[in-house]
Amino acid sequence: MSVGAVLKAKIAAHVVSVEPSATVLEIAEIISSRRIGAVLVLDDRGGVAGIVSERDVVKALAAHTDKVVTMRADDLMTQNVTTATSETTVVEAMELMDHGYFRHLPVVNDGKVEGIISIRDLVKYRIMEHERDADNMKAYIGGVA
């Protein structure tokens, strides 16, 4: 199965993003109020400039306690963001996340941000896939007997 299928299955496929000038406080409020783990930082053309995760905010708070409220997204964002396409398989996406030690993966097709998936989205999709396979197997066995 593909990352595109996971995006289609998501209830909230809206991409939450900020500009590079967004403050850490603004980002923390967005992450907290939307109950998400990361926000994309988009450049002036709508491309991915970076990503800021809840871990980045916590690290900034620990390292720069007195300055964190004046810091901006472009001060702490991950700049070289690994992305997937809609055709990336779920297994490939999970391997990318595991190898890179991150939990959020933007989906970009032809330079356009299509969405963002989390490891939770992928695990949920895999569970649904296994349940569907088990139901199909039960139906098959029940039909044969």
Side-chain angles (χ1 to χ4, degrees):
M1 284 294 164
S2 70
V3 166
V6 175
L7 276 181
K8 286 180 184 175
K10 282 183 72 163
I11 295 169
H14 175 72
V15 178
V16 179
S17 64
V18 298
E19 295 179 356
S21 61
T23 66
V24 174
L25 184 57
E26 291 170 329
I27 294 167
E29 288 172 352
I30 291 169
I31 287 173
S32 176
S33 67
R34 303 264 183 128
R35 298 182 62 193
I36 57 177
V39 296
L40 287 180
V41 183
L42 301 182
D43 61 26
D44 55 1
R45 295 173 300 176
V48 178
I51 189 167
V52 178
S53 71
E54 56 197 353
R55 286 182 186 172
D56 296 324
V57 173
V58 170
K59 283 188 217 174
L61 181 60
H64 310 285
T65 306
D66 54 339
K67 296 185 251 179
V68 75
V69 292
T70 61
M71 292 177 73
R72 302 167 12 139
D74 53 5
D75 292 327
L76 67 141
M77 68 184 184
T78 299
Q79 293 181 11
N80 297 320
V81 180
T82 301
T83 62
T85 68
S86 293
E87 290 78 36
T88 302
T89 69
V90 169
V91 172
E92 289 169 336
M94 292 176 94
E95 288 172 351
L96 284 171
M97 294 168 128
D98 182 51
H99 183 267
Y101 296 100
F102 53 83
R103 297 176 294 172
H104 300 88
L105 185 63
V107 180
V108 180
N109 294 306
D110 298 321
K112 182 180 179 228
V113 177
E114 300 290 332
I116 186 169
I117 57 171
S118 68
I119 192 67
R120 182 175 187 259
D121 297 327
L122 297 177
V123 168
K124 182 178 176 182
Y125 193 81
R126 290 292 303 256
I127 290 169
M128 288 174 27
E129 196 173 56
H130 286 296
E131 288 173 349
R132 186 174 51 246
D133 289 346
D135 289 343
N136 289 339
M137 185 61 75
K138 288 175 187 174
Y140 175 76
I141 291 170
V144 172

